[in-house]
Amino acid sequence: MLRNCIAIGATVAAVACGGETEAPRASQQAAAGPVNKLSACSLLTAEEVKSVTGQTVIAIDSTSAAGCHFRGPTELETIASIMVTAGMKPMATSAEMAAWRSGQIDPDDDIKPTIAALDGLGVPAIRNEIAGFGLVTIEVYKSGYLVDVTANTLELAKKLTPTVLSRVP
């Protein structure tokens, strides 16, 4: 089951797999990669989340530099999340990234995420979603980082992603 927890977006993984969220293990797949120097919470502000989603951010939770969760009126209500993992193996295209992520999914598991290449973001990107969880993750590759942007809909995640990408070196 852990393999499948890794195969889905980090925020969705917390819901689907239970317990603490762990960033995808992209660094295990790269021979040598950068140390995670990015703070996920430096990639988006509460004001930016509100301007895109229309929801007021009540709290920002950061379990580590790798994860940042923008919370709504209740502690369990996630408006948006950002996860950053350093050391991602290079990806040239969105199709390559979709094939890589799909290869991590155990065909015998009950959890079947939808993985699809996303073009138009200027970097290799995929949609990663588990039906019924109400969260959609866009995973992007940029400069050796795997960055997950999660929101309630694909459209909202797409609107947040360019701002996040503009802050990844």
Side-chain angles (χ1 to χ4, degrees):
M1 179 90 164
L2 178 58
R3 179 178 173 166
N4 291 330
C5 294
I6 294 167
I8 57 180
T11 299
V12 177
V15 174
C17 304
E20 292 296 314
T21 303
E22 288 187 35
R25 302 268 186 210
S27 60
Q28 292 178 347
Q29 297 180 3
V35 173
N36 197 1
K37 296 178 183 177
L38 289 178
S39 166
C41 287
S42 72
L43 302 178
L44 207 55
T45 67
E47 293 79 21
E48 290 164 335
V49 170
K50 181 178 181 179
S51 73
V52 168
T53 66
Q55 295 180 284
T56 301
V57 174
I58 303 300
I60 300 173
D61 297 333
S62 177
T63 55
S64 69
C68 190
H69 309 284
F70 298 87
R71 307 277 185 206
T74 68
E75 188 176 315
L76 298 176
E77 181 182 349
T78 299
I79 298 170
S81 292
I82 309 296
M83 296 295 291
V84 179
T85 304
M88 174 70 176
K89 75 178 197 167
M91 296 284 164
T93 66
S94 296
E96 178 186 0
M97 191 169 182
W100 164 77
R101 181 57 83 201
S102 294
Q104 295 179 327
I105 298 167
D106 183 346
D108 296 328
D109 199 345
D110 293 336
I111 298 174
K112 304 282 190 235
T114 298
I115 306 293
L118 277 180
D119 294 318
L121 292 172
V123 295
I126 60 172
R127 168 185 166 210
N128 189 339
E129 177 181 8
I130 297 176
F133 282 95
L135 297 171
V136 179
T137 298
I138 293 178
E139 295 182 81
V140 298
Y141 168 79
K142 184 175 180 190
S143 306
Y145 291 98
L146 175 66
V147 181
D148 292 357
V149 179
T150 302
N152 295 328
T153 67
L154 178 60
E155 293 74 26
L156 291 176
K158 278 183 176 179
K159 287 179 181 179
L160 292 169
T161 299
T163 301
V164 171
L165 285 173
S166 72
R167 295 181 179 138
V168 176

